[in-house]
Amino acid sequence: MTAIEGIPEGRPGLIRWHYLWYVAAALLVMLVAIAYGNVWFLNWVHVMSGVLWTGIDLFMGFVIGPIIRSVSIPVRKEIITRLTPVTLFLMPTLSILTGTAGWFLAVELGFTALPWPEFGWIAAALVLVTLMTIQGLGYLLPTSLRVCFELQKPQPDGAKIGRMMSRFYYVVASQGLMQVAIIVVMAKLVTGI
């Protein structure tokens, strides 16, 4: 057995550390966009990371989630142990890129200097992104990892997994609702306050 209990020798571990190179590259692109100060480039980073984050989040929550809930434990185990290594680095990176690039874009476009009530749209975006990032990094990611580690055991504890996942789907649904809400806010910002 490897350092991660339940993973046979020869099978890759859950955490694929080489994905950190992709994270570093994405963060570097964002930092260049911020330092360069080009509104188009900054907007591109913000929109692309936001589209990916929102699309993947909604797809995972409303398509993959119900499928995983309806399949047997061995199938669930295979899906989660293949999906978690990819999303482990992808989703936190996209949330950080989206929020950070969005803030700097708002500063560049002068949205942070707007008076009330117009600034309320910026505050709403900031609150939504902050809540989604906290939920994602503070609850969804750790819960996914705990479930994945449990599923890698030779005899996964179904009751334990059920307890861990009891609130998980509600949090995913709230993420989906907040993703839709932020799309409304972004549409308002793009078309003029």
Side-chain angles (χ1 to χ4, degrees):
M1 293 290 184
T2 62
I4 298 175
E5 183 61 33
I7 299 177
E9 285 295 335
R11 184 172 174 188
L14 176 69
I15 299 174
R16 311 280 166 76
W17 294 107
H18 67 278
Y19 287 170
L20 284 174
W21 289 109
Y22 299 112
V23 171
L27 292 172
L28 181 63
V29 168
M30 180 193 68
L31 291 173
V32 167
I34 291 168
Y36 187 54
N38 180 286
V39 172
W40 178 89
F41 189 29
L42 198 52
N43 188 54
W44 182 83
V45 171
H46 173 65
V47 170
M48 285 304 295
S49 56
V51 164
L52 288 170
W53 184 27
T54 302
I56 293 168
D57 215 13
L58 292 175
F59 183 76
M60 296 282 286
F62 295 108
V63 177
I64 300 295
I67 290 170
I68 289 175
R69 281 196 316 262
S70 68
V71 298
S72 66
I73 293 290
V75 173
R76 189 178 304 175
K77 178 179 179 176
E78 283 301 314
I79 292 171
I80 292 174
T81 55
R82 292 174 193 269
L83 193 59
T84 301
V86 175
T87 59
L88 180 63
F89 293 109
L90 178 64
M91 298 308 283
T93 303
L94 289 174
S95 69
I96 290 166
L97 289 173
T98 303
T100 305
W103 177 258
F104 281 94
L105 182 62
V107 170
E108 285 287 328
L109 295 175
F111 287 152
T112 58
L114 291 172
W116 280 96
E118 292 85 4
F119 184 77
W121 290 97
I122 300 300
L126 188 59
V127 166
L128 287 167
V129 168
T130 301
L131 287 174
M132 287 187 289
T133 302
I134 290 169
Q135 276 186 333
L137 296 176
Y139 180 75
L140 295 174
L141 182 63
T143 302
S144 294
L145 283 170
R146 286 193 308 271
V147 168
C148 194
F149 288 137
E150 183 64 32
L151 286 172
Q152 289 181 338
K153 294 179 179 176
Q155 296 294 322
D157 183 346
K160 183 177 181 180
I161 292 169
R163 286 190 305 274
M164 286 190 279
M165 298 302 286
S166 63
R167 287 184 302 253
F168 187 84
Y169 295 109
Y170 295 109
V171 175
V172 168
S174 74
Q175 286 266 312
L177 291 174
M178 285 189 282
Q179 293 283 8
V180 171
I182 201 144
I183 290 169
V184 170
V185 171
M186 292 298 115
K188 179 64 175 169
L189 293 174
V190 166
T191 58
I193 296 180

